[in-house]
Amino acid sequence: MKKWMQLLVLITSITSAGSLLASGGFSSEGGRGEEGEGRGSNMPAVTNAKWKAECGSCHMVYHPGLLPERSWNKVMAGLDKHFGENASLDAATHDEIAKFLAVNSADKQTNRRSNRINQSIPANATPMRISETRYFTAKHDEVSANTFKRKSIGSPSNCIACHKGAEKGDFSESQVRIPR
Amino acid sequence: MRNTFYLFGLFFSVSVFAATPQELLRQYETQAKQENAAFGGFSAERGASFFKAEHIHSDGKKVSCTTCHTSDPRNQGKTRANKVIEPMATIANPERFTDSAKVEKWFGRNCKDVLERSCTAQEKGDYIQYLMSVK
């Protein structure tokens, strides 16, 4: 490697590390306070037009950071029988959405909540429902089955009923409002 | 020059899908004639009973188009996962049946969900004819 190239690499790595630190980029450091709260715990707001249009025409859009890549792969491989409904897509749309989900999945995220969800799933399990993860059940243990069944909520899959920022990846406890 | 070329491409790719309900009906008519030599036209009445007909799904539950779309197609419906479905009747929602790819996508999915088979061109045409006729 030439001298000037080494210098360039050195300068870039120093400046990028510096700006990451300044912005609180390392999420484990960024979050503070109680478990799951704080700046580093929210998932980054990610979006894709096809994901929004296709997934969002039947249900709220679930942030990719809620499940690991292997779970999304399983979901996307079974769209013809998607929780009892046919949700098949043409190949191009399917592949674009599958890639978007994989790239932003819980095991690719640095935010605290995604990390914890991912850690709560045994390595040999591939859950398709977020509400089946140990992270979810522990976090919602004070919410009764009857509360979930309220007309205004429906089921545990309707995150957005109580977490209004859910589609943007904001599940912070301070934002929770459980409707009557 | 290259940009004009892309613009043209974009224009054509959009215009392939953009259609009027009448144009869609004509496409289904062509198909229906291929499927059945004795094809005798579409019927709004047949479409109405198709829309309302209840089926027992193999999972044991009763299902029909009205399960999600409600029995009045001028109303908004709701998916099983709680999302609003805009009205099916063209009088209440002029965007219906103006995008053939979208129409085919939903016939493809919903026929399999409700009937557990694909719909025929005859059924698709009757269905559209009915939803255009609702006043």
Side-chain angles (χ1 to χ4, degrees):
Chain A
M1 214 191 270
K2 293 214 175 85
K3 260 262 160 60
W4 66 268
M5 282 174 86
Q6 285 177 327
L7 197 67
L8 194 68
V9 170
L10 190 69
I11 291 170
T12 344
S13 52
I14 289 172
T15 44
S16 55
S19 54
L20 252 179
L21 277 176
S23 67
F26 297 111
S27 59
S28 51
E29 260 94 34
R32 68 200 130 79
E34 48 178 339
E35 188 201 356
E37 291 302 309
R39 212 178 315 182
S41 66
N42 276 340
M43 300 172 194
V46 288
T47 195
N48 171 283
K50 294 215 164 100
W51 166 70
K52 257 192 131 152
E54 297 298 339
C55 312
S57 52
C58 296
H59 55 69
M60 63 159 278
V61 282
Y62 297 106
H63 193 288
L66 288 165
L67 284 174
E69 181 174 354
R70 64 182 185 281
S71 290
W72 290 124
N73 288 344
K74 193 170 166 187
V75 168
M76 293 303 286
L79 284 182
D80 56 330
K81 290 194 177 83
H82 185 63
F83 301 99
E85 286 196 39
N86 188 303
S88 27
L89 294 166
D90 64 81
T93 311
H94 174 278
D95 293 351
E96 182 177 329
I97 295 175
K99 195 172 159 211
F100 167 75
L101 292 170
V103 168
N104 297 293
S105 58
D107 40 350
K108 306 288 182 303
Q109 292 282 352
T110 53
N111 74 80
R112 196 121 64 112
R113 202 178 311 282
S114 292
N115 289 347
R116 293 240 163 93
I117 294 173
N118 197 37
Q119 285 157 13
S120 84
I121 303 170
N124 60 358
T126 309
M128 296 217 285
R129 293 174 195 271
I130 298 141
S131 53
E132 275 170 7
T133 62
R134 199 152 41 78
Y135 179 86
F136 182 99
T137 49
K139 280 283 182 187
H140 295 85
D141 60 355
E142 80 280 26
V143 185
S144 75
N146 278 332
T147 307
F148 278 124
K149 272 188 219 138
R150 280 180 198 161
K151 218 167 176 217
S152 50
I153 302 175
S155 83
S157 64
N158 195 14
C159 316
I160 204 164
C162 305
H163 302 272
K164 67 178 194 315
E167 293 186 317
K168 291 193 181 72
D170 181 359
F171 291 88
S172 37
E173 196 149 7
S174 57
Q175 301 295 315
V176 174
R177 238 201 88 251
I178 301 177
R180 290 275 102 209
Chain B
M1 188 57 213
R2 193 174 246 188
N3 281 340
T4 342
F5 182 71
Y6 284 136
L7 261 175
F8 258 107
L10 189 70
F11 176 75
F12 277 110
S13 61
V14 169
S15 64
V16 165
F17 297 120
T20 63
Q22 287 81 4
E23 279 164 354
L24 276 182
L25 273 184
R26 249 171 278 141
Q27 289 172 23
Y28 285 126
E29 189 179 330
T30 315
Q31 276 181 42
K33 282 176 184 158
Q34 285 162 1
E35 285 173 11
N36 174 16
F39 171 74
F42 294 128
S43 140
E45 244 168 71
R46 228 172 11 231
S49 43
F50 179 86
F51 187 76
K52 283 161 193 159
E54 278 193 337
H55 308 270
I56 307 288
H57 193 275
S58 57
D59 67 7
K61 292 192 191 116
K62 264 191 201 163
V63 64
S64 71
C65 306
T66 63
T67 307
C68 295
H69 294 296
T70 81
S71 54
D72 185 343
R74 291 169 300 185
N75 289 345
Q76 282 185 333
K78 223 168 203 189
T79 68
R80 284 161 174 151
N82 229 21
K83 269 244 161 162
V84 165
I85 307 172
E86 293 306 326
M88 294 307 296
T90 50
I91 189 155
N93 179 8
E95 272 179 43
R96 279 293 168 215
F97 313 119
T98 56
D99 177 339
S100 65
K102 190 176 173 184
V103 170
E104 271 299 292
K105 179 176 84 183
W106 286 105
F107 271 136
R109 291 173 173 177
N110 295 349
C111 293
K112 278 173 203 147
D113 273 341
V114 178
L115 302 172
E116 301 183 75
R117 62 166 171 82
S118 303
C119 288
T120 63
Q122 174 82 60
E123 286 166 330
K124 292 175 185 174
D126 290 344
Y127 182 89
I128 295 174
Q129 190 88 43
Y130 163 57
L131 292 161
M132 284 166 66
S133 76
V134 176
K135 290 284 173 279

